[in-house]
mmCIF file of all heavy atoms in Angstrom:
data_model
loop_
_atom_site.group_PDB
_atom_site.id
_atom_site.type_symbol
_atom_site.label_atom_id
_atom_site.label_comp_id
_atom_site.label_asym_id
_atom_site.label_seq_id
_atom_site.Cartn_x
_atom_site.Cartn_y
_atom_site.Cartn_z
ATOM 1 N N ARG A 1 -4.990 -18.910 -1.060
ATOM 2 C CA ARG A 1 -5.059 -17.445 -1.079
ATOM 3 C C ARG A 1 -3.886 -16.832 -0.320
ATOM 4 O O ARG A 1 -3.348 -15.791 -0.724
ATOM 5 C CB ARG A 1 -6.390 -16.980 -0.489
ATOM 6 C CG ARG A 1 -7.516 -16.944 -1.519
ATOM 7 C CD ARG A 1 -8.826 -16.468 -0.949
ATOM 8 N NE ARG A 1 -9.696 -15.992 -2.041
ATOM 9 C CZ ARG A 1 -11.008 -15.862 -1.948
ATOM 10 N NH1 ARG A 1 -11.619 -16.156 -0.803
ATOM 11 N NH2 ARG A 1 -11.720 -15.419 -2.971
ATOM 12 N N LEU A 2 -3.483 -17.447 0.770
ATOM 13 C CA LEU A 2 -2.310 -16.954 1.495
ATOM 14 C C LEU A 2 -1.064 -17.042 0.609
ATOM 15 O O LEU A 2 -0.233 -16.122 0.587
ATOM 16 C CB LEU A 2 -2.095 -17.767 2.767
ATOM 17 C CG LEU A 2 -3.179 -17.683 3.849
ATOM 18 C CD1 LEU A 2 -2.836 -18.620 5.006
ATOM 19 C CD2 LEU A 2 -3.345 -16.257 4.352
ATOM 20 N N GLN A 3 -0.957 -18.137 -0.117
ATOM 21 C CA GLN A 3 0.219 -18.353 -0.957
ATOM 22 C C GLN A 3 0.289 -17.375 -2.134
ATOM 23 O O GLN A 3 1.380 -17.001 -2.569
ATOM 24 C CB GLN A 3 0.219 -19.792 -1.475
ATOM 25 C CG GLN A 3 0.446 -20.844 -0.398
ATOM 26 C CD GLN A 3 0.209 -22.251 -0.899
ATOM 27 O OE1 GLN A 3 -0.613 -22.472 -1.794
ATOM 28 N NE2 GLN A 3 0.918 -23.226 -0.326
ATOM 29 N N SER A 4 -0.870 -16.960 -2.645
ATOM 30 C CA SER A 4 -0.899 -16.146 -3.867
ATOM 31 C C SER A 4 -1.156 -14.672 -3.612
ATOM 32 O O SER A 4 -1.346 -13.901 -4.554
ATOM 33 C CB SER A 4 -1.979 -16.679 -4.816
ATOM 34 O OG SER A 4 -3.266 -16.578 -4.228
ATOM 35 N N VAL A 5 -1.146 -14.238 -2.337
ATOM 36 C CA VAL A 5 -1.502 -12.859 -2.022
ATOM 37 C C VAL A 5 -0.500 -11.861 -2.596
ATOM 38 O O VAL A 5 -0.819 -10.668 -2.758
ATOM 39 C CB VAL A 5 -1.628 -12.678 -0.492
ATOM 40 C CG1 VAL A 5 -0.252 -12.573 0.165
ATOM 41 C CG2 VAL A 5 -2.476 -11.468 -0.154
ATOM 42 N N GLY A 6 0.692 -12.326 -2.931
ATOM 43 C CA GLY A 6 1.690 -11.434 -3.499
ATOM 44 C C GLY A 6 1.261 -10.808 -4.812
ATOM 45 O O GLY A 6 1.655 -9.671 -5.120
ATOM 46 N N THR A 7 0.443 -11.527 -5.589
ATOM 47 C CA THR A 7 0.018 -10.995 -6.896
ATOM 48 C C THR A 7 -0.852 -9.756 -6.757
ATOM 49 O O THR A 7 -0.531 -8.708 -7.340
ATOM 50 C CB THR A 7 -0.709 -12.081 -7.703
ATOM 51 O OG1 THR A 7 0.199 -13.161 -7.963
ATOM 52 C CG2 THR A 7 -1.202 -11.521 -9.034
ATOM 53 N N PRO A 8 -1.971 -9.799 -6.021
ATOM 54 C CA PRO A 8 -2.768 -8.565 -5.912
ATOM 55 C C PRO A 8 -2.025 -7.441 -5.198
ATOM 56 O O PRO A 8 -2.203 -6.271 -5.555
ATOM 57 C CB PRO A 8 -4.005 -9.010 -5.126
ATOM 58 C CG PRO A 8 -3.592 -10.239 -4.406
ATOM 59 C CD PRO A 8 -2.624 -10.924 -5.317
ATOM 60 N N LEU A 9 -1.173 -7.764 -4.202
ATOM 61 C CA LEU A 9 -0.435 -6.707 -3.519
ATOM 62 C C LEU A 9 0.592 -6.065 -4.449
ATOM 63 O O LEU A 9 0.810 -4.843 -4.394
ATOM 64 C CB LEU A 9 0.262 -7.276 -2.276
ATOM 65 C CG LEU A 9 -0.657 -7.619 -1.093
ATOM 66 C CD1 LEU A 9 0.148 -8.182 0.069
ATOM 67 C CD2 LEU A 9 -1.464 -6.405 -0.648
ATOM 68 N N SER A 10 1.205 -6.856 -5.312
ATOM 69 C CA SER A 10 2.152 -6.296 -6.282
ATOM 70 C C SER A 10 1.426 -5.433 -7.304
ATOM 71 O O SER A 10 1.920 -4.365 -7.704
ATOM 72 C CB SER A 10 2.913 -7.415 -6.996
ATOM 73 O OG SER A 10 3.752 -8.107 -6.090
ATOM 74 N N GLN A 11 0.255 -5.876 -7.752
ATOM 75 C CA GLN A 11 -0.533 -5.085 -8.693
ATOM 76 C C GLN A 11 -0.961 -3.767 -8.056
ATOM 77 O O GLN A 11 -0.941 -2.717 -8.701
ATOM 78 C CB GLN A 11 -1.753 -5.884 -9.140
ATOM 79 C CG GLN A 11 -1.416 -7.080 -10.014
ATOM 80 C CD GLN A 11 -2.615 -7.969 -10.271
ATOM 81 O OE1 GLN A 11 -3.573 -8.003 -9.492
ATOM 82 N NE2 GLN A 11 -2.577 -8.719 -11.369
ATOM 83 N N PHE A 12 -1.323 -3.832 -6.783
ATOM 84 C CA PHE A 12 -1.682 -2.619 -6.064
ATOM 85 C C PHE A 12 -0.486 -1.679 -5.951
ATOM 86 O O PHE A 12 -0.606 -0.465 -6.161
ATOM 87 C CB PHE A 12 -2.206 -2.969 -4.669
ATOM 88 C CG PHE A 12 -2.428 -1.778 -3.787
ATOM 89 C CD1 PHE A 12 -3.583 -1.029 -3.890
ATOM 90 C CD2 PHE A 12 -1.469 -1.400 -2.860
ATOM 91 C CE1 PHE A 12 -3.784 0.086 -3.080
ATOM 92 C CE2 PHE A 12 -1.662 -0.294 -2.043
ATOM 93 C CZ PHE A 12 -2.822 0.444 -2.157
ATOM 94 N N ALA A 13 0.691 -2.236 -5.633
ATOM 95 C CA ALA A 13 1.906 -1.420 -5.509
ATOM 96 C C ALA A 13 2.254 -0.766 -6.846
ATOM 97 O O ALA A 13 2.699 0.393 -6.879
ATOM 98 C CB ALA A 13 3.058 -2.279 -5.011
ATOM 99 N N ASP A 14 2.073 -1.485 -7.942
ATOM 100 C CA ASP A 14 2.351 -0.915 -9.267
ATOM 101 C C ASP A 14 1.461 0.291 -9.527
ATOM 102 O O ASP A 14 1.920 1.323 -10.042
ATOM 103 C CB ASP A 14 2.138 -1.974 -10.353
ATOM 104 C CG ASP A 14 3.189 -3.066 -10.316
ATOM 105 O OD1 ASP A 14 4.255 -2.858 -9.710
ATOM 106 O OD2 ASP A 14 2.941 -4.149 -10.893
ATOM 107 N N PHE A 15 0.173 0.175 -9.193
ATOM 108 C CA PHE A 15 -0.749 1.282 -9.380
ATOM 109 C C PHE A 15 -0.391 2.434 -8.448
ATOM 110 O O PHE A 15 -0.460 3.614 -8.825
ATOM 111 C CB PHE A 15 -2.183 0.818 -9.133
ATOM 112 C CG PHE A 15 -3.214 1.892 -9.288
ATOM 113 C CD1 PHE A 15 -3.535 2.382 -10.546
ATOM 114 C CD2 PHE A 15 -3.871 2.424 -8.187
ATOM 115 C CE1 PHE A 15 -4.487 3.379 -10.708
ATOM 116 C CE2 PHE A 15 -4.815 3.418 -8.338
ATOM 117 C CZ PHE A 15 -5.119 3.896 -9.595
ATOM 118 N N PHE A 16 0.002 2.103 -7.236
ATOM 119 C CA PHE A 16 0.388 3.118 -6.248
ATOM 120 C C PHE A 16 1.577 3.937 -6.756
ATOM 121 O O PHE A 16 1.590 5.167 -6.650
ATOM 122 C CB PHE A 16 0.731 2.414 -4.937
ATOM 123 C CG PHE A 16 0.736 3.299 -3.728
ATOM 124 C CD1 PHE A 16 -0.444 3.722 -3.163
ATOM 125 C CD2 PHE A 16 1.930 3.703 -3.159
ATOM 126 C CE1 PHE A 16 -0.444 4.541 -2.041
ATOM 127 C CE2 PHE A 16 1.941 4.519 -2.047
ATOM 128 C CZ PHE A 16 0.749 4.941 -1.482
ATOM 129 N N ARG A 17 2.566 3.243 -7.314
ATOM 130 C CA ARG A 17 3.742 3.946 -7.850
ATOM 131 C C ARG A 17 3.384 4.755 -9.097
ATOM 132 O O ARG A 17 3.949 5.829 -9.337
ATOM 133 C CB ARG A 17 4.835 2.932 -8.165
ATOM 134 C CG ARG A 17 5.435 2.261 -6.930
ATOM 135 C CD ARG A 17 6.694 1.496 -7.296
ATOM 136 N NE ARG A 17 7.232 0.754 -6.174
ATOM 137 C CZ ARG A 17 7.011 -0.544 -5.957
ATOM 138 N NH1 ARG A 17 6.250 -1.236 -6.811
ATOM 139 N NH2 ARG A 17 7.534 -1.155 -4.904
ATOM 140 N N ALA A 18 2.467 4.235 -9.913
ATOM 141 C CA ALA A 18 2.036 4.974 -11.102
ATOM 142 C C ALA A 18 1.383 6.294 -10.696
ATOM 143 O O ALA A 18 1.565 7.321 -11.361
ATOM 144 C CB ALA A 18 1.066 4.130 -11.927
ATOM 145 N N ARG A 19 0.638 6.292 -9.610
ATOM 146 C CA ARG A 19 0.055 7.535 -9.093
ATOM 147 C C ARG A 19 1.164 8.491 -8.668
ATOM 148 O O ARG A 19 1.087 9.698 -8.920
ATOM 149 C CB ARG A 19 -0.855 7.248 -7.901
ATOM 150 C CG ARG A 19 -2.139 6.513 -8.239
ATOM 151 C CD ARG A 19 -2.999 6.329 -6.997
ATOM 152 N NE ARG A 19 -3.676 7.584 -6.628
ATOM 153 C CZ ARG A 19 -3.399 8.318 -5.575
ATOM 154 N NH1 ARG A 19 -2.401 7.964 -4.761
ATOM 155 N NH2 ARG A 19 -4.082 9.425 -5.309
ATOM 156 N N GLU A 20 2.151 7.965 -7.984
ATOM 157 C CA GLU A 20 3.284 8.796 -7.565
ATOM 158 C C GLU A 20 3.933 9.472 -8.761
ATOM 159 O O GLU A 20 4.199 10.676 -8.740
ATOM 160 C CB GLU A 20 4.330 7.945 -6.835
ATOM 161 C CG GLU A 20 3.963 7.533 -5.436
ATOM 162 C CD GLU A 20 5.079 6.726 -4.790
ATOM 163 O OE1 GLU A 20 6.068 6.409 -5.486
ATOM 164 O OE2 GLU A 20 4.970 6.417 -3.599
ATOM 165 N N ASP A 21 4.185 8.683 -9.800
ATOM 166 C CA ASP A 21 4.862 9.207 -10.984
ATOM 167 C C ASP A 21 4.044 10.313 -11.655
ATOM 168 O O ASP A 21 4.605 11.174 -12.347
ATOM 169 C CB ASP A 21 5.140 8.082 -11.987
ATOM 170 C CG ASP A 21 6.124 7.060 -11.449
ATOM 171 O OD1 ASP A 21 6.861 7.393 -10.495
ATOM 172 O OD2 ASP A 21 6.148 5.928 -11.967
ATOM 173 N N SER A 22 2.731 10.273 -11.460
ATOM 174 C CA SER A 22 1.859 11.286 -12.059
ATOM 175 C C SER A 22 1.586 12.442 -11.106
ATOM 176 O O SER A 22 0.779 13.322 -11.414
ATOM 177 C CB SER A 22 0.530 10.645 -12.488
ATOM 178 O OG SER A 22 0.749 9.637 -13.457
ATOM 179 N N GLY A 23 2.232 12.429 -9.935
ATOM 180 C CA GLY A 23 2.101 13.536 -8.992
ATOM 181 C C GLY A 23 0.967 13.412 -8.001
ATOM 182 O O GLY A 23 0.597 14.407 -7.358
ATOM 183 N N PHE A 24 0.425 12.210 -7.839
ATOM 184 C CA PHE A 24 -0.683 12.011 -6.909
ATOM 185 C C PHE A 24 -0.155 11.331 -5.650
ATOM 186 O O PHE A 24 0.220 10.142 -5.671
ATOM 187 C CB PHE A 24 -1.795 11.183 -7.543
ATOM 188 C CG PHE A 24 -2.462 11.882 -8.680
ATOM 189 C CD1 PHE A 24 -1.991 11.729 -9.976
ATOM 190 C CD2 PHE A 24 -3.540 12.720 -8.456
ATOM 191 C CE1 PHE A 24 -2.597 12.385 -11.027
ATOM 192 C CE2 PHE A 24 -4.157 13.377 -9.512
ATOM 193 C CZ PHE A 24 -3.678 13.220 -10.795
ATOM 194 N N LEU A 25 -0.127 12.078 -4.549
ATOM 195 C CA LEU A 25 0.472 11.595 -3.312
ATOM 196 C C LEU A 25 -0.551 11.621 -2.190
ATOM 197 O O LEU A 25 -1.536 12.360 -2.230
ATOM 198 C CB LEU A 25 1.679 12.467 -2.938
ATOM 199 C CG LEU A 25 2.742 12.646 -4.024
ATOM 200 C CD1 LEU A 25 3.792 13.647 -3.565
ATOM 201 C CD2 LEU A 25 3.390 11.309 -4.378
ATOM 202 N N LEU A 26 -0.297 10.808 -1.155
ATOM 203 C CA LEU A 26 -1.149 10.782 0.023
ATOM 204 C C LEU A 26 -0.685 11.838 1.029
ATOM 205 O O LEU A 26 0.497 12.193 1.065
ATOM 206 C CB LEU A 26 -1.098 9.404 0.684
ATOM 207 C CG LEU A 26 -1.586 8.208 -0.130
ATOM 208 C CD1 LEU A 26 -1.402 6.928 0.678
ATOM 209 C CD2 LEU A 26 -3.042 8.371 -0.530
ATOM 210 N N PRO A 27 -1.568 12.335 1.874
ATOM 211 C CA PRO A 27 -1.140 13.225 2.955
ATOM 212 C C PRO A 27 -0.151 12.503 3.873
ATOM 213 O O PRO A 27 -0.324 11.319 4.187
ATOM 214 C CB PRO A 27 -2.445 13.542 3.688
ATOM 215 C CG PRO A 27 -3.524 13.323 2.672
ATOM 216 C CD PRO A 27 -3.037 12.194 1.816
ATOM 217 N N LYS A 28 0.855 13.208 4.319
ATOM 218 C CA LYS A 28 1.911 12.581 5.118
ATOM 219 C C LYS A 28 1.391 11.980 6.421
ATOM 220 O O LYS A 28 1.906 10.953 6.882
ATOM 221 C CB LYS A 28 3.003 13.606 5.416
ATOM 222 C CG LYS A 28 3.878 13.944 4.228
ATOM 223 C CD LYS A 28 4.991 14.909 4.619
ATOM 224 C CE LYS A 28 5.908 15.179 3.429
ATOM 225 N NZ LYS A 28 6.998 16.118 3.765
ATOM 226 N N HIS A 29 0.373 12.602 7.010
ATOM 227 C CA HIS A 29 -0.100 12.108 8.303
ATOM 228 C C HIS A 29 -0.853 10.787 8.176
ATOM 229 O O HIS A 29 -1.063 10.100 9.178
ATOM 230 C CB HIS A 29 -0.997 13.157 8.970
ATOM 231 C CG HIS A 29 -2.374 13.256 8.360
ATOM 232 N ND1 HIS A 29 -2.625 13.983 7.227
ATOM 233 C CD2 HIS A 29 -3.555 12.711 8.724
ATOM 234 C CE1 HIS A 29 -3.907 13.897 6.917
ATOM 235 N NE2 HIS A 29 -4.494 13.127 7.804
ATOM 236 N N VAL A 30 -1.264 10.427 6.959
ATOM 237 C CA VAL A 30 -2.014 9.182 6.753
ATOM 238 C C VAL A 30 -1.080 7.982 6.656
ATOM 239 O O VAL A 30 -1.400 6.888 7.141
ATOM 240 C CB VAL A 30 -2.878 9.284 5.479
ATOM 241 C CG1 VAL A 30 -3.487 7.931 5.116
ATOM 242 C CG2 VAL A 30 -3.964 10.332 5.665
ATOM 243 N N VAL A 31 0.094 8.165 6.062
ATOM 244 C CA VAL A 31 0.976 7.041 5.734
ATOM 245 C C VAL A 31 1.393 6.230 6.963
ATOM 246 O O VAL A 31 1.393 4.988 6.906
ATOM 247 C CB VAL A 31 2.205 7.531 4.946
ATOM 248 C CG1 VAL A 31 3.083 6.361 4.545
ATOM 249 C CG2 VAL A 31 1.753 8.296 3.696
ATOM 250 N N PRO A 32 1.775 6.838 8.085
ATOM 251 C CA PRO A 32 2.135 6.017 9.251
ATOM 252 C C PRO A 32 1.020 5.080 9.694
ATOM 253 O O PRO A 32 1.286 3.967 10.171
ATOM 254 C CB PRO A 32 2.456 7.058 10.331
ATOM 255 C CG PRO A 32 2.867 8.267 9.579
ATOM 256 C CD PRO A 32 2.006 8.279 8.355
ATOM 257 N N ARG A 33 -0.219 5.508 9.522
ATOM 258 C CA ARG A 33 -1.349 4.650 9.887
ATOM 259 C C ARG A 33 -1.468 3.466 8.936
ATOM 260 O O ARG A 33 -1.872 2.369 9.345
ATOM 261 C CB ARG A 33 -2.639 5.463 9.894
ATOM 262 C CG ARG A 33 -2.614 6.635 10.858
ATOM 263 C CD ARG A 33 -3.937 7.363 10.882
ATOM 264 N NE ARG A 33 -3.880 8.578 11.684
ATOM 265 C CZ ARG A 33 -4.918 9.355 11.945
ATOM 266 N NH1 ARG A 33 -6.114 9.041 11.463
ATOM 267 N NH2 ARG A 33 -4.786 10.451 12.666
ATOM 268 N N LEU A 34 -1.132 3.671 7.673
ATOM 269 C CA LEU A 34 -1.126 2.566 6.712
ATOM 270 C C LEU A 34 -0.079 1.538 7.104
ATOM 271 O O LEU A 34 -0.324 0.324 7.069
ATOM 272 C CB LEU A 34 -0.847 3.082 5.304
ATOM 273 C CG LEU A 34 -1.743 4.178 4.750
ATOM 274 C CD1 LEU A 34 -1.316 4.533 3.337
ATOM 275 C CD2 LEU A 34 -3.195 3.754 4.780
ATOM 276 N N ILE A 35 1.091 2.038 7.472
ATOM 277 C CA ILE A 35 2.196 1.148 7.868
ATOM 278 C C ILE A 35 1.808 0.360 9.106
ATOM 279 O O ILE A 35 2.001 -0.861 9.170
ATOM 280 C CB ILE A 35 3.472 1.974 8.113
ATOM 281 C CG1 ILE A 35 3.930 2.635 6.807
ATOM 282 C CG2 ILE A 35 4.582 1.086 8.676
ATOM 283 C CD1 ILE A 35 5.055 3.630 6.986
ATOM 284 N N GLN A 36 1.239 1.040 10.074
ATOM 285 C CA GLN A 36 0.850 0.384 11.316
ATOM 286 C C GLN A 36 -0.208 -0.691 11.060
ATOM 287 O O GLN A 36 -0.150 -1.791 11.615
ATOM 288 C CB GLN A 36 0.320 1.421 12.307
ATOM 289 C CG GLN A 36 -0.091 0.836 13.651
ATOM 290 C CD GLN A 36 -0.650 1.893 14.590
ATOM 291 O OE1 GLN A 36 -0.890 3.026 14.177
ATOM 292 N NE2 GLN A 36 -0.856 1.526 15.843
ATOM 293 N N ALA A 37 -1.190 -0.369 10.216
ATOM 294 C CA ALA A 37 -2.256 -1.328 9.913
ATOM 295 C C ALA A 37 -1.710 -2.552 9.201
ATOM 296 O O ALA A 37 -2.079 -3.695 9.512
ATOM 297 C CB ALA A 37 -3.332 -0.661 9.071
ATOM 298 N N ALA A 38 -0.809 -2.353 8.231
ATOM 299 C CA ALA A 38 -0.227 -3.475 7.498
ATOM 300 C C ALA A 38 0.628 -4.336 8.430
ATOM 301 O O ALA A 38 0.626 -5.574 8.328
ATOM 302 C CB ALA A 38 0.609 -2.964 6.329
ATOM 303 N N GLN A 39 1.353 -3.685 9.336
ATOM 304 C CA GLN A 39 2.183 -4.438 10.283
ATOM 305 C C GLN A 39 1.324 -5.271 11.228
ATOM 306 O O GLN A 39 1.712 -6.387 11.605
ATOM 307 C CB GLN A 39 3.066 -3.477 11.072
ATOM 308 C CG GLN A 39 4.204 -2.874 10.265
ATOM 309 C CD GLN A 39 4.975 -1.814 11.025
ATOM 310 O OE1 GLN A 39 4.450 -1.196 11.961
ATOM 311 N NE2 GLN A 39 6.228 -1.576 10.622
ATOM 312 N N SER A 40 0.162 -4.763 11.598
ATOM 313 C CA SER A 40 -0.707 -5.514 12.513
ATOM 314 C C SER A 40 -1.221 -6.800 11.887
ATOM 315 O O SER A 40 -1.512 -7.774 12.589
ATOM 316 C CB SER A 40 -1.883 -4.640 12.951
ATOM 317 O OG SER A 40 -2.774 -4.400 11.871
ATOM 318 N N VAL A 41 -1.348 -6.805 10.556
ATOM 319 C CA VAL A 41 -1.847 -7.996 9.863
ATOM 320 C C VAL A 41 -0.856 -9.153 9.968
ATOM 321 O O VAL A 41 -1.255 -10.320 10.034
ATOM 322 C CB VAL A 41 -2.143 -7.673 8.382
ATOM 323 C CG1 VAL A 41 -2.560 -8.930 7.623
ATOM 324 C CG2 VAL A 41 -3.219 -6.605 8.279
ATOM 325 N N ILE A 42 0.446 -8.832 10.018
ATOM 326 C CA ILE A 42 1.461 -9.896 10.046
ATOM 327 C C ILE A 42 2.115 -10.021 11.414
ATOM 328 O O ILE A 42 3.090 -10.763 11.571
ATOM 329 C CB ILE A 42 2.541 -9.661 8.977
ATOM 330 C CG1 ILE A 42 3.196 -8.297 9.154
ATOM 331 C CG2 ILE A 42 1.930 -9.796 7.583
ATOM 332 C CD1 ILE A 42 4.341 -8.046 8.176
ATOM 333 N N SER A 43 1.599 -9.323 12.414
ATOM 334 C CA SER A 43 2.172 -9.432 13.756
ATOM 335 C C SER A 43 1.618 -10.656 14.473
ATOM 336 O O SER A 43 0.646 -11.270 14.029
ATOM 337 C CB SER A 43 1.857 -8.166 14.558
ATOM 338 O OG SER A 43 0.454 -8.053 14.771
ATOM 339 N N GLY A 44 2.218 -10.983 15.606
ATOM 340 C CA GLY A 44 1.782 -12.147 16.370
ATOM 341 C C GLY A 44 2.505 -13.410 15.953
ATOM 342 O O GLY A 44 3.118 -13.478 14.882
#
């Protein structure tokens, strides 16, 4: 699962960008928290 995690994350990113292209965006104050949370998963 560690080795193959790129597939679901890439699929998620594709959907995320598709939302962007259709004008659906997240509030700006939320995004830094997403970045921080994702960074914590790979820290240490």
Side-chain angles (χ1 to χ4, degrees):
R1 274 181 159 160
L2 295 177
Q3 292 170 330
S4 62
V5 78
T7 297
L9 287 180
S10 294
Q11 291 171 335
F12 172 82
D14 290 342
F15 179 72
F16 198 75
R17 292 192 185 97
R19 291 182 76 250
E20 286 182 354
D21 295 340
S22 299
F24 294 90
L25 307 174
L26 298 178
K28 287 183 177 180
H29 75 278
V30 171
V31 183
R33 301 183 187 185
L34 305 181
I35 296 171
Q36 181 182 9
Q39 288 174 336
S40 69
V41 176
I42 57 176
S43 65

